[in-house]
Structures are given as C-alpha cells and as structure tokens.
Amino acid sequence: MKLIYDQNYNYNLGVLKYLHPFDGEKFKRVMAELQDVVVDKLAPLKAINLNVVDEYLNELMRLKIRDEVFIFRALEVPKIPFVGFDFLDKKILTPMRLAVAGTLLGAEKALESGEIMWNLSGGFHHASNLNMEGFCIYNDIGISYQQLRKNGKLSETDKVLIIDVDAHHGNGNAYSFKDNENVHLLDVYNEDIYPTSVFTRNRVNFPVPLKSGVEGCEYLEKLTQALELITGNYALAFVIAGTDVLAVDKLGGFKLKVEDVAKREKIILSHLKTLEIPTVVTGGGGYSKQSAAAIAAAIKACSTL
C-alpha cells in the first residue's frame, strides 16, 4: 500500500474554520500519527488543471465554480463580504484541486501496479458535473474517471466500482454516473440525513441504507454482507472512507468507534485485494477531532495489505 499526501492538502481557513465543523488540518495530524509506520508515500506534482475541470463541467457550472456566492453556498457557510474568490481559491479550492490530482495519481498507479493507493484527501462525493454542495466543489472520482478514459488507461467497457462508506449518501457520484452501466456503486449511508434524493439513492447498485444510531457491530455486518455481492470483474475500485460515521461526529448520526473504522477499511481492502481489484482510497467527510486518529488507525491496520 502507498499513501498519497501533500502538505498543501490542509486548508488554512482563517475565520472560516469557525463557521464549519470540517477539520481542515486533519491531514497533517494523520501524518503525525503515522510517524512510526513504514508506508511508501507519493504526492501529486501539482493541482489538477482548471482546463481539465472545465472539461468535466457543464457550461453553467464553469461559471458558477468561479463565483464566490455559489462556492460559499456549497461550503455551507454564510457569504462573508470581505472574503472574495481569490481568498477561497488560495485557501480552499487549490487544496481541493490538489486532492483531485491525488485521486487521479492514485488511480493511475493502482492500475499500473495493482497496489492499494490511499489518498488522504478527496472523496468529494456530493459534487457532480452539474452541481457543487456539501463541502464538495469538484468530483474527484468523476474527473479521474474521465481522464483515465481520455488517456486510454480505462476502456469504454471496463467496469469500475465505487464503495462509499461515508455516513452521507454519495449523491454526486450517483448523479455523475447515472447513465454509465459500467460504473457500479456500493453505498453504506444514513438514510435519515442529507442528501435525501430518491433519484440518486435509486441509482446505487448495492445500497445499504441504515438508521441513525447504528453501532459498529451492525454496521460492519451489513457492510460485509454487501461486499459478498461483489465479484472480481472490475478494472478499478474507488473507496470513499469518510470518518463521519464516528459516534462523536455531529453530522453523521452513527455510533462507530475508532477501532470500528479501522476494521471497516481492513474488511473492504482485504476483500478487494482477494478479488485482485486495483484500488484507490479517498478521504471523504469527517467532522470531529477523532477523525485524524480514525484515519491513522485504519492505515495502520491496512499497512501490510
């Protein structure tokens, strides 16, 4: 397994950090917890080019994604008069585009080597080519898939699997791939919370909707049952490993512990490795001070895979 990280993944949000529960600097805390763990590391050379992003977006979204009014809305914080697009681009959008490059790098390396690649950031599963929401501006998996098809590393008929274990349903991915029968989605999510789109929930091939308050034992049992439906006929898998499933998280509504998250990732990655599916893990959401500890524990649990 190889880890993908750049110190510029971290969001230096300034005053904005008081307006949203996302821990923008958790990535460096994960690295601090991994000081004694031997894991090969890679970093994207630069943020994904805006021209590549534009290729993915529809015409209206190309305009919206450069407008701070729409960006504030997607970041779920009120518009701040003295904060303009340049500040947002430097502090938030560029780190996010760097994360997109990390997901693409991970996918390319996974396809080349068959190894598990773990991108600490990314997993922006609420964004699509038509919308940005839920603290997700760019759909890194959608953009990566587009580039892999463009550069010939995936063919039109190659099957791709997205396993989403963030507490929130991945509506952006479901919408982005709504017409692509070769992209299959397994989504374990809290059915009681945002996003509640019936259309995108119905797009999921292997849905695992759970109620608020689910604890680790039931969660892992339902996940394992869903994974048993997955066969090895996939060229590539993406995993969105959100830590907002933790009991201390204010937004996820589940009651998992740090050790449950570590078990979850090991169950998923062990299954995918057994099926010999090249895999890239992405960060997803996580809105508690335990998020970094859970990610680090999961990486430690999976470091020998």
Side-chain angles (χ1 to χ4, degrees):
M1 186 177 77
K2 286 187 171 62
L3 199 62
I4 300 173
Y5 169 73
D6 188 290
Q7 62 181 356
N8 294 310
Y9 275 2
N10 296 283
Y11 308 123
N12 183 8
L13 298 177
V15 68
L16 294 182
K17 69 182 178 182
Y18 301 106
L19 301 176
H20 195 282
F22 187 83
D23 182 3
E25 297 182 324
K26 69 179 178 181
F27 309 112
K28 65 182 182 182
R29 280 193 270 277
V30 173
M31 297 305 294
E33 297 229 15
L34 294 175
Q35 285 182 351
D36 299 327
V37 180
V38 179
V39 181
D40 290 339
K41 302 177 186 67
L42 297 173
L45 295 177
K46 58 183 179 180
I48 202 80
N49 192 288
L50 276 171
N51 291 333
V52 172
V53 174
D54 284 344
E55 287 179 30
Y56 179 71
L57 302 176
N58 78 336
E59 187 174 352
L60 180 59
M61 268 300 294
R62 292 173 195 166
L63 298 175
K64 286 185 176 181
I65 214 162
R66 289 166 170 80
D67 188 325
E68 65 266 23
V69 172
F70 292 101
I71 294 170
F72 273 113
R73 189 178 301 165
L75 295 176
E76 301 177 336
V77 296
K79 174 72 172 72
I80 302 174
F82 57 85
V83 176
F85 177 82
D86 290 343
F87 176 90
L88 294 173
D89 189 53
K90 180 179 180 181
K91 301 295 186 178
I92 300 177
L93 303 186
T94 298
M96 284 186 173
R97 290 197 299 273
L98 190 63
V100 175
T103 298
L104 176 57
L105 173 64
E108 291 173 338
K109 294 296 184 182
L111 286 168
E112 290 170 6
S113 66
E115 289 185 275
I116 297 167
M117 309 298 297
W118 193 310
N119 184 22
L120 284 190
S121 191
F124 305 134
H125 64 159
H126 298 310
S128 71
N129 65 323
L130 291 176
N131 196 26
M132 50 182 168
E133 61 180 274
F135 210 81
C136 298
I137 306 300
Y138 313 103
N139 186 307
D140 55 314
I141 291 177
I143 293 171
S144 295
Y145 178 84
Q146 175 183 267
Q147 292 304 301
L148 294 169
R149 285 286 311 279
K150 185 177 179 180
N151 62 28
K153 295 188 177 181
L154 282 178
S155 73
E156 182 180 359
T157 57
D158 279 332
K159 290 172 62 178
V160 171
L161 175 67
I162 299 174
I163 297 178
D164 191 338
V165 287
D166 186 289
H168 299 85
H169 160 56
N171 60 324
N173 283 328
Y175 187 85
S176 296
F177 295 106
K178 67 183 189 303
D179 299 319
N180 192 329
E181 295 180 353
N182 289 317
V183 177
H184 295 176
L185 294 90
L186 188 160
D187 198 345
V188 186
Y189 62 90
N190 186 337
E191 65 178 335
D192 298 329
I193 62 174
Y194 160 89
T196 57
S197 164
V198 174
F199 174 77
T200 57
R201 287 185 178 189
N202 286 342
R203 168 59 182 86
V204 177
N205 304 86
F206 308 102
V208 188
L210 300 172
K211 292 289 186 181
S212 293
V214 164
E215 297 183 357
C217 184
E218 180 182 354
Y219 181 102
L220 295 174
E221 180 182 1
K222 294 292 177 61
L223 167 64
T224 300
Q225 291 172 356
L227 287 172
E228 289 172 354
L229 302 175
I230 303 298
T231 65
N233 300 318
Y234 293 95
L236 179 66
F238 294 93
V239 178
I240 303 167
T243 57
D244 48 4
V245 295
L246 290 167
V248 296
D249 195 285
K250 295 179 180 179
L251 300 183
F254 288 154
K255 293 187 176 181
L256 274 67
K257 301 174 182 177
V258 166
E259 53 265 36
D260 294 323
V261 172
K263 289 178 183 177
R264 180 188 71 179
E265 265 67 282
K266 190 164 187 180
I267 289 170
I268 294 169
L269 296 182
S270 295
H271 186 69
L272 294 175
K273 186 171 183 179
T274 298
L275 296 176
E276 299 183 337
I277 304 173
T279 300
V280 54
V281 181
T282 63
Y287 310 95
S288 73
K289 294 302 181 183
Q290 284 187 6
S291 180
I295 296 167
I299 291 171
K300 290 175 184 178
C302 301
S303 60
T304 57
L305 292 177

